[in-house]
Amino acid sequence: MTLRRKLEEKFFRVLTALVALLVVFVLAHILYTIISKGASSLSWEILSQEPKGGFYMGGGGGIVNAIAGSFYLAIGASILAFIVSLPVALFINIYLIRYRRLLIGVRFFLDVLWGIPSIVYGAFAFTIMIFFGLRNSLGAGIVTVGALIAPIMIRAMDEVLKTIPIGLQEASYSLGSTKTETAYKIFFKQALPGFATAVLLAFGRGIGDAASVLFTAGYTDHVPRNLSDPTATLPLSIFFQLGSPIEEVQNRAYAAAIVLTFIVLCISITARVLYRKK
Amino acid sequence: MSIKTTIPVISKEAAHFQVVPGEVPVLNIRNLNVRSKNAQILKNINLVVPKNKITVLLGPSGCGKTTLLKCMNRLTDLYSELKLDGSIEIDGEDILSGKYDITQIRQKMGLVMQRPFPLPMSIYDNIAYGLKIKGIRKKSIISEKVEKHLREVALWDEVKDRLKTSAQRLSIGQQQRLCLARGLAVEPEIILADEPTSALDPISSRVIEEEFLKLKADYTIILVTHILRQAKRLADFVVFMYYGEIVEYGPASEIFENPKTDILKEYLRVGH
Amino acid sequence: MTKRILIDNISSKWMLVCLSFFLLLPLAIGTGLVLKSEDLLTGHTLSSLIFSADWSPSEDKFGFWPFILSSLWVTIIALIISMPLCLLAAIYLSQFAPKWLLEFMRPVIDILAGIPSVVYGVWGVLVIVPLVGDTIAPFFNNESLGYSILAGALVLAVMSIPYILNMLLEVFRQVPVELGEASLSLGATKWETIKHVFIRKGATGILSAYGLGFSKALGETIAVMMVIGNVVQEPASVFDAGYPLPALIANNYGEMMSIPSYDSALMFGSLLLFVIILAINILFRYLIYKSEEK
């Protein structure tokens, strides 16, 4: 081997390793920055109280409005998305399985749907709301985020269902089951852990999204009591507080960022642990 | 029936001296053991491969033939879970010792795999690739060698008008011959062929087999197969392997007509 | 028995309804946005909307050029930064690194891809904005507040890394091992094999990963909006503030009902974004399907 080839090999081995290290470092640095900045402001008060008077000028209170709002919103959206995603995923794998081209077409389409940015979902939902004269509300937010995360959920469920052998389906039919019974009794049971992962992934995506709720869910200092109340969300709470020139308010934004990051990390790690155990 | 008892009682030392008189050895494997995490894949392999002959590694699937072949040009490096010890000498150099440049050692051996894997480039570049890696830069030399080696595998007339088109558009039989030519272009001493006809139709298989019979005038060929009839058609020497061990080794006529062990007798009788 | 059949019937109809809903959703989004943009399109020509830089909604002047330009600048620079980093990191992890490291990093990258964009935005405000304002801009003899195209691009680059890296790892995973063995057995080094064989074999996949990364970055809203300054101008350098399309939409939805045609203009902005991103997605998803079919 000539020296040049040897050097080239060495050079790229080292270069790629360094770049990989850099990438890991930068991503770790994000977590480090958020935690080190926000940890000092994190307190029980922040986690448990609604904003008090003058909150955005540095007054007392906490962000429970945003934490609770985000959970309501993401849970509602996940449930809604699940209700429409499950039939679609089952339909694809039971009814369309014999039509290869159609199957590919539908999967392709869902992947494309996944790529539409959340700001467009938000803007579109907003026009619908104006058309029907609806106000910003938890309910509107749930529907918008639900539509945003459903394609993710469908594709994740689809990936799980894909792995179930077609023989199982045929065995079920040969015992006299209808397609529906096969779908819900056989497929559902087989794929349950995978489904839990799919739902959690979509939930994680939903709770972190800001652009779609900006238009639809509104913002308020109170924990919403019903679907027609507007609701605060963590991403927007972070965003608004960070926009303040007052340091205490900014610090609370960092604390809120820790809360959000923590929730999302917990969810995605749980999702992966579940899937691995299967 | 325990397998152990069927192994001929040759001392491990003696196994190494099983050189057939009158043959020139090119590859000398001594006490080769290959272990993965929880299994021993090759057990104490001793083998001397004679020059300009076709040596067939025969045995049921999973017996370690392919692993043995991959040891010979150290493609086993790619599988970090495999641990090798022993020695494999070619031209007096022990390629397992780590002293030698593995890329040069690999150029002494051309590999033909179970399925053809043409490189994602034109027919011409597939052959030129190895030459350029060898450091040959001159266009005229490269063109000349491309033609020579494509002729060597009887592919030239079929592709000479479309050398610049993608190799992936060739038929699978043509692809396999291209892969053979690609291996020959780096001018190896040995051709390692791992069930080279298993993905091919009978006619393409025949073409490859005929190539091998011609090529042994210039090269040493080590062929892995589990097709008994192919082994009978091609082999000068046969190595019969079973569960990671060499059970019998000898000239083809002797192995096929006068098998010593029960296990080989059984294998030849069932015929797969 | 009849009850079972009835349930089967209803359920399969419901399945079909749900599927149709998703199949029609993009169509509905497109139609809705077009209808809402109509007000604007009747008073202005398409080319004046896209290529004019004159933006003053109260005077009924809607030139989107500053926003389009900002979006393109920030996305393209982000991709220029992240493309080589992702490729090299993917090569290291999939080719050179020990197996356990790849197995460990795969879920980690996946998890990082799920971190909300607002968190990246916070990091951008804390780290990238001062870095650009205090270090990078002075180094190039420029004055900058830090809230700039470059800051947006850097944050976007970092955000897109897990997303693109994930796809690239998948591309390299799909290259058959035997192809590498074939190249190595001809005497190529590992790097030569990667350079001449793997990258070429995965070219379509790599291109698609970049394309999808681009479209994802183009639609990214909140993180970029937090660090880019949001000033309506045609940015002259990377140290100037910019105002990308998603930020325009997000920032003004509140007051858009108060000025005539303003809501229509914002919906036109959404439509632009939607059409561009949809087109890019269709193109590159198609390429991926094509290359997987082979």
Side-chain angles (χ1 to χ4, degrees):
Chain A
M1 186 159 39
T2 60
L3 188 63
R4 193 189 60 78
R5 290 176 66 207
K6 226 173 218 167
L7 282 178
E8 191 178 327
E9 171 88 7
K10 272 254 155 58
F11 173 76
F12 278 100
R13 245 173 214 276
V14 174
L15 179 71
T16 55
L18 285 179
V19 168
L21 202 65
L22 173 75
V23 165
V24 173
F25 170 77
V26 168
L27 295 169
H29 189 253
I30 294 174
L31 295 181
Y32 166 77
T33 309
I34 302 294
I35 291 169
S36 67
K37 264 289 192 179
S40 57
S41 313
L42 205 55
S43 66
W44 183 242
E45 186 192 359
I46 285 213
L47 296 178
S48 62
Q49 293 184 10
E50 289 187 354
K52 288 181 182 148
F55 181 73
Y56 300 98
M57 308 302 288
I63 53 165
V64 75
N65 60 327
I67 297 174
S70 266
F71 268 106
Y72 289 163
L73 189 88
I75 289 171
S78 299
I79 293 171
L80 185 68
F82 185 77
I83 293 172
V84 289
S85 298
L86 182 64
V88 174
L90 289 173
F91 187 84
I92 293 173
N93 283 283
I94 288 178
Y95 287 83
L96 295 187
I97 198 90
R98 303 268 174 225
Y99 309 95
R100 227 184 85 78
R101 294 208 75 84
L102 199 59
L103 189 70
I104 290 173
V106 168
R107 286 192 175 132
F108 174 79
F109 190 84
L110 289 168
D111 282 342
V112 169
L113 206 57
W114 189 346
I116 298 175
S118 64
I119 185 88
V120 171
Y121 275 97
F124 175 67
F126 189 64
T127 63
I128 301 278
M129 285 160 58
I130 292 175
F131 185 76
F132 288 107
L134 300 170
R135 275 190 324 120
N136 289 338
S137 62
L138 178 59
I142 285 176
V143 173
T144 311
V145 175
L148 175 74
I149 61 178
I152 302 171
M153 212 187 271
I154 297 173
R155 279 301 269 135
M157 288 176 170
D158 183 34
E159 289 296 324
V160 181
L161 289 174
K162 244 197 227 174
T163 61
I164 297 179
I166 195 155
L168 191 68
Q169 220 183 105
E170 282 160 359
S172 167
Y173 296 146
S174 66
L175 293 172
S177 307
T178 62
K179 287 202 165 178
T180 307
E181 285 161 351
T182 308
Y184 288 99
K185 286 189 186 151
I186 309 288
F187 270 53
F188 190 74
K189 248 186 211 157
Q190 277 282 320
L192 201 58
F195 281 5
T197 302
V199 172
L200 284 176
L201 286 180
F203 179 90
R205 172 85 195 268
I207 204 167
D209 196 72
S212 59
V213 292
L214 195 57
F215 298 86
T216 52
Y219 198 83
T220 166
D221 282 350
H222 305 289
V223 174
R225 282 171 208 289
N226 55 49
L227 287 176
S228 59
D229 282 351
T231 179
T233 46
L234 271 171
L236 291 187
S237 160
I238 297 167
F239 178 66
F240 290 142
Q241 292 181 75
L242 203 62
S244 155
I246 298 159
E247 209 185 320
E248 285 158 52
V249 183
Q250 285 182 0
N251 284 337
R252 274 200 300 250
Y254 306 140
I258 292 189
V259 175
L260 180 59
T261 311
F262 178 75
I263 294 171
V264 170
L265 286 185
C266 282
I267 287 165
S268 49
I269 290 168
T270 313
R272 268 159 197 89
V273 170
L274 271 182
Y275 197 61
R276 191 153 298 167
K277 272 198 182 147
K278 191 184 69 141
Chain B
M1 176 186 74
S2 142
I3 293 155
K4 279 282 169 212
T5 58
T6 67
I7 293 174
V9 198
I10 320 165
S11 80
K12 298 297 179 194
E13 274 309 305
H16 154 57
F17 291 108
Q18 282 183 336
V19 195
V20 180
E23 297 294 345
V24 186
V26 291
L27 190 80
N28 194 340
I29 300 177
R30 270 181 250 181
N31 299 323
L32 178 71
N33 283 285
V34 177
R35 292 180 190 84
S36 73
K37 244 177 222 149
N38 37 25
Q40 182 152 10
I41 297 166
L42 292 178
K43 288 171 217 160
N44 210 21
I45 301 291
N46 285 282
L47 181 64
V48 176
V49 179
K51 196 175 164 77
N52 290 45
K53 289 286 178 307
I54 297 180
T55 301
V56 168
L57 305 184
L58 189 67
S61 45
C63 69
K65 303 176 302 239
T66 299
T67 308
L68 180 55
L69 203 67
K70 283 185 176 173
C71 287
M72 294 179 193
N73 67 354
R74 253 177 63 192
L75 278 180
T76 44
D77 288 7
L78 294 182
Y79 306 89
S80 53
E81 69 274 15
L82 295 182
K83 298 274 171 287
L84 279 66
D85 63 72
S87 72
I88 299 177
E89 272 178 23
I90 173 165
D91 295 342
E93 295 173 346
D94 177 10
I95 66 166
L96 297 186
S97 72
K99 262 192 297 190
Y100 303 97
D101 176 0
I102 188 61
T103 63
Q104 264 165 21
I105 287 169
R106 284 188 183 136
Q107 290 200 326
K108 291 183 181 172
M109 284 170 262
L111 179 67
V112 184
M113 290 183 280
Q114 293 188 2
R115 287 197 296 130
F117 280 93
L119 301 172
M121 41 187 91
S122 70
I123 297 170
Y124 182 92
D125 287 335
N126 257 276
I127 313 279
Y129 181 75
L131 298 169
K132 285 177 185 163
I133 278 171
K134 265 190 130 171
I136 300 171
R137 288 272 168 267
K138 222 172 161 192
K139 281 233 170 79
S140 58
I141 297 181
I142 292 178
S143 302
E144 196 181 296
K145 294 210 171 192
V146 169
E147 180 175 344
K148 177 183 161 206
H149 293 292
L150 283 174
R151 282 190 192 282
E152 214 171 358
V153 298
L155 198 59
W156 174 253
D157 291 328
E158 292 165 47
V159 301
K160 64 179 179 214
D161 302 325
R162 46 174 175 151
L163 288 173
K164 296 290 175 190
T165 58
S166 165
Q168 276 145 337
R169 289 208 211 126
L170 294 173
S171 79
I172 201 146
Q174 289 173 324
Q175 284 186 11
Q176 191 64 309
R177 275 182 284 155
L178 179 70
C179 289
L180 179 58
R182 178 180 71 190
L184 296 178
V186 293
E187 283 160 3
E189 296 170 27
I190 304 173
I191 297 169
L192 308 174
D194 184 5
E195 303 188 9
T197 60
S198 64
L200 305 186
D201 60 276
I203 294 171
S204 304
S205 301
R206 255 308 142 83
V207 175
I208 294 276
E209 285 184 13
E210 280 161 18
E211 286 314 317
F212 279 167
L213 289 172
K214 270 188 250 162
L215 287 169
K216 74 174 178 181
D218 300 316
Y219 305 91
T220 303
I221 297 172
I222 302 175
L223 172 73
V224 166
T225 187
H226 63 261
I227 310 166
L228 198 53
R229 271 182 298 174
Q230 185 174 61
K232 283 180 177 164
R233 282 194 294 266
L234 297 181
D236 296 310
F237 292 92
V238 175
V239 178
F240 178 68
M241 295 180 68
Y242 196 75
Y243 278 100
E245 286 178 273
I246 295 181
V247 179
E248 282 194 47
Y249 174 48
S253 53
E254 208 169 294
I255 293 282
F256 290 130
E257 279 150 33
N258 198 8
K260 294 189 188 65
T261 56
D262 292 345
I263 191 89
L264 178 55
K265 281 177 194 156
E266 178 69 9
Y267 185 81
L268 293 175
R269 193 179 63 76
V270 180
H272 63 90
Chain C
M1 191 63 198
T2 40
K3 194 178 147 207
R4 284 176 57 205
I5 305 283
L6 190 69
I7 290 176
D8 190 42
N9 257 329
I10 294 171
S11 142
S12 53
K13 296 266 153 55
W14 171 240
M15 286 179 176
L16 206 55
V17 167
C18 289
L19 182 63
S20 317
F21 172 76
F22 285 104
L23 295 183
L24 292 175
L25 188 60
L27 201 65
I29 293 178
T31 321
L33 294 178
V34 167
L35 287 177
K36 289 296 282 183
S37 319
E38 231 177 359
D39 278 355
L40 191 72
L41 286 165
T42 47
H44 306 77
T45 63
L46 192 63
S47 66
S48 78
L49 286 173
I50 293 177
F51 295 111
S52 156
D54 205 348
W55 179 264
S56 47
S58 51
E59 295 166 47
D60 196 36
K61 284 181 181 156
F62 296 100
F64 279 88
W65 189 238
F67 308 105
I68 294 171
L69 203 60
S70 291
S71 269
L72 289 179
W73 271 80
V74 77
T75 312
I76 289 170
I77 296 172
L79 261 277
I80 288 174
I81 297 167
S82 68
M83 281 191 312
L85 293 182
C86 288
L87 187 59
L88 290 171
I91 287 172
Y92 177 74
L93 289 174
S94 64
Q95 307 299 325
F96 290 131
K99 272 209 181 79
W100 62 263
L101 187 63
L102 177 64
E103 289 315 308
F104 173 75
M105 286 307 291
R106 212 187 275 281
V108 170
I109 293 164
D110 234 23
I111 287 167
L112 289 170
I115 289 183
S117 59
V118 72
V119 174
Y120 284 96
V122 172
W123 177 75
V125 171
L126 285 171
V127 178
I128 295 298
V129 168
L131 182 72
V132 171
D134 303 339
T135 313
I136 301 180
F139 182 79
F140 289 98
N141 286 324
N142 249 297
E143 277 204 18
S144 172
L145 291 172
Y147 291 91
S148 58
I149 297 274
L150 184 61
L154 283 168
V155 170
L156 209 45
V158 171
M159 281 183 74
S160 63
I161 284 174
Y163 184 75
I164 297 177
L165 190 52
N166 238 341
M167 288 191 282
L168 289 183
L169 286 178
E170 188 57 29
V171 169
F172 282 112
R173 208 172 59 95
Q174 281 179 357
V175 176
V177 189
E178 291 89 342
L179 204 56
E181 290 183 350
S183 168
L184 290 175
S185 71
L186 294 171
T189 61
K190 192 108 194 205
W191 170 249
E192 283 165 336
T193 301
I194 293 164
K195 184 170 67 171
H196 296 303
V197 179
F198 290 170
I199 292 185
R200 206 181 290 208
K201 182 77 183 175
T204 318
I206 294 169
L207 188 71
S208 304
Y210 288 162
L212 292 177
F214 181 86
S215 93
K216 174 109 173 158
L218 197 61
E220 177 48 46
T221 310
I222 207 106
V224 181
M225 182 168 138
M226 288 163 81
V227 298
I228 201 166
N230 303 325
V231 177
V232 186
Q233 62 181 14
E234 286 177 79
S237 89
V238 294
F239 299 110
D240 285 351
Y243 206 157
L245 266 178
L248 169 76
I249 303 163
N251 261 336
N252 296 293
Y253 77 99
E255 56 219 87
M256 71 188 196
M257 305 310 289
S258 51
I259 305 170
S261 298
Y262 202 4
D263 65 326
S264 179
L266 290 186
M267 290 311 148
F268 177 71
S270 309
L271 182 65
L272 275 182
L273 209 54
F274 174 71
V275 170
I276 295 170
I277 287 173
L278 199 64
I280 296 176
N281 262 275
I282 289 174
L283 173 66
F284 288 105
R285 289 280 175 201
Y286 181 74
L287 282 181
I288 291 178
Y289 275 101
K290 269 283 159 209
S291 67
E292 275 174 4
E293 230 172 76
K294 248 188 264 167

